[in-house]
Amino acid sequence: MKITVIGTGHVGLVAGACLAEIGHDVVCVDNDPSKIEALRAGRAPFFEPDMEAMVQRNQKRGLLSFSGVLEEGIAHSEVIFLCLGTPPLPSGEADLSVVERVTHQIATLADGYKLVISKSTVPVLTGDRIQRTMEVYSGRKHEFDVASNPEFLAEGTAVFDFLYPDRIVVGVESERAEKLLREVYEPVVRQEFQWNLERPCPRDGRKIPLLVTNRNSSELIKHASNSFLAMKISYINAIANLCDKVGADVTQVAEGMGYDHRIGPQFLRAGIGFGGFCFPKDLQAFVWIAGKNGYDFRLLREVEQINAEQVDSFLQKVKDQVWVLRGKTIAVWGLAFKPNTDDLRFSPALAVIEKLQEEGATVRAFDPKAMDDARKEYPSLTYCGSAAEAAEGADALLVLTEWPEFREIDLKALSKKMVRPLMLDGRNLFDPAVVREAGFEYCSMGRP
Ligand code: NAD
């Protein structure tokens, strides 16, 4: 099938590359000329495992191309995915101005039937707005459909998640839209594609469930899912805070809970809280749209509050150990909002760092992937060539992103190079016994 993807960011580029990989003829459009230039040269504009190779392979096969011209994308196909940003406004409401603008442009430029599919995360009833915009600006010259197809991929495992999703959800209001979307996803549903990832396919030849709902339900499924996951994280963080007070170990509590198949072990890692471009803004937008429609989502407001407090409670731990921050050198391991990505958006690590600097500390930072972008946004940090270099001469070491490679560092040698071998592990990355054995004082989240 010919497919157009508008917005070539973390979702659009992965979707475009994977849709080409499963055999479609895809044009990805973006209004950022530097992204298009890099992609045409085979370079991914951000780090995501497996993606750059997939982009290059499908460009060579002639199934994936990039354009900075919206008209070209609209003319290419009748199936158009919107993968545009939906950032938060100060009120918490999702900013849908880009979605509105592009929809308006599609309506005026369309040369025939179009199926406009929102893959961006949008509040419930946004599809109705897109539908209305198409009606108003197309002059009803051509037929069109508007569908919702939320994306559930996670950065760091995005290619894997797209090709082996737990489910595909399509929200449609017509048989034609349903038929087209089933056709788009047929190779994923049947698991008929060539790409070999390092991780084996977890599906054992089973079909991927494709759930067809109406548009409003589909939009709600995305917000409800992300908010539920955020709630799990805040739940275990609340438990961790209680563990700190009573001398229990939150990793053991989480393990004991997670064996229960009704609960499951995922998203029960205590730490300094969730961040990234999805959970914080999606929670806010969900609370906002619920309120607008007459439901005060108190449960989710509390989830947000607990998350915001995690950074403060971690900083309190730092201060309890270091006492005065002014004049101290603090090493920070990890800047990205989670491992295996260079995405800094709404990263709790940066929230911690800003507060350290406000209190007069000097911060020496290292992140395996996110330092190029961080240098531009936070020029006042000292960026180091390695994790060990960041810790040298520091009064304390803070672990803020759980990159697995930090576990490989020779802590014994490192402890001798610090002014004070003190580690505050905001992600419970390390085994406390191992760190203490290496000569460190050690504090973590919800563990004695
Ligand atoms: P992003 O900022 O990485 O990508 C958006 C892209 O749209 C950018 O490349 C930008 O240049 C481009 N763009 C902006 N205006 C444009 C225009 N007028 N025409 C063409 N391109 C334009 O955002 P993202 O992380 O890919 O997220 C996109 C949507 O998907 C959001 O709604 C997000 O909530 C949702 N989502 C994100 C993730 C994730 O892990 N990042 C996962 C699932 C869903």
Side-chain angles (χ1 to χ4, degrees), residues 5-14 29-33 35 39 45-46 48 67-68 70 82-87 96-99 101-102 105 118-122 150-156 158 222-223 226 276-279 281-282 337-338 343 345:
V5 176
I6 304 179
T8 310
H10 291 77
V11 166
L13 183 55
V14 171
V29 178
D30 205 284
N31 68 346
D32 179 343
K35 269 190 194 169
L39 285 163
F46 51 87
E48 183 62 49
S67 172
L70 189 63
L82 303 182
C83 300
L84 300 157
T86 49
L96 299 171
S97 53
V98 178
V99 171
R101 196 161 57 245
V102 171
Q105 287 171 301
S118 175
K119 201 171 244 319
S120 298
T121 303
V122 292
E151 182 49 62
F152 298 97
L153 64 77
E155 288 175 29
K222 176 63 190 176
H223 264 166
N226 269 11
F277 192 52
C278 290
F279 287 0
K281 79 166 174 56
D282 292 350
F337 83 93
K338 66 174 187 177
D343 198 343
R345 293 178 291 182

Side-chain angles (χ1 to χ4, degrees), residues 140-336:
R140 296 176 194 269
K141 284 198 295 285
H142 306 289
E143 285 184 54
F144 62 86
D145 279 304
V146 175
S148 156
N149 169 225
E151 182 49 62
F152 298 97
L153 64 77
E155 288 175 29
T157 51
V159 170
F160 182 89
D161 295 344
F162 194 96
L163 292 175
Y164 307 116
D166 291 332
R167 78 305 207 182
I168 296 162
V169 175
V170 299
V172 290
E173 299 294 332
S174 79
E175 280 178 18
R176 187 174 188 178
E178 178 180 339
K179 186 171 167 293
L180 282 168
L181 274 159
R182 282 191 185 278
E183 225 178 298
V184 168
Y185 283 111
E186 186 67 4
V188 177
V189 168
R190 292 185 173 277
Q191 291 288 286
E192 287 170 357
F193 50 83
Q194 301 286 315
W195 186 257
N196 277 324
L197 293 163
E198 275 171 26
R199 289 160 71 185
C201 169
R203 292 270 152 212
D204 285 338
R206 279 180 291 134
K207 277 188 171 183
I208 305 284
L210 187 146
L211 175 68
V212 181
T213 68
N214 69 16
R215 219 165 40 206
N216 292 348
S217 302
S218 169
E219 288 168 342
L220 260 181
I221 286 168
K222 176 63 190 176
H223 264 166
S225 302
N226 269 11
S227 300
F228 190 85
L229 294 174
M231 183 177 73
K232 267 187 113 175
I233 297 174
S234 279
Y235 187 83
I236 202 65
N237 281 335
I239 301 283
N241 293 338
L242 183 58
C243 285
D244 273 337
K245 292 189 194 303
V246 299
D249 183 333
V250 72
T251 47
Q252 291 179 346
V253 175
E255 189 182 352
M257 290 168 62
Y259 282 123
D260 186 328
H261 70 276
R262 295 167 304 176
I263 298 174
Q266 305 279 350
F267 284 74
L268 288 180
R269 280 191 72 121
I272 56 173
F274 55 78
F277 192 52
C278 290
F279 287 0
K281 79 166 174 56
D282 292 350
L283 257 185
Q284 282 179 35
F286 201 23
V287 169
W288 189 91
I289 195 72
K292 185 161 180 278
N293 286 281
Y295 181 66
D296 178 5
F297 220 140
R298 299 182 305 281
L299 175 67
L300 294 184
R301 283 197 281 115
E302 194 57 30
V303 168
E304 284 184 287
Q305 184 65 27
I306 291 170
N307 196 53
E309 285 167 6
Q310 280 310 101
V311 165
D312 295 329
S313 87
F314 180 69
L315 266 155
Q316 193 52 51
K317 280 177 195 274
V318 177
K319 283 198 225 170
D320 287 346
Q321 296 300 322
V322 174
W323 189 19
V324 175
L325 278 167
R326 183 161 301 283
K328 295 276 168 41
T329 299
I330 307 293
V332 161
W333 283 359
L335 299 168

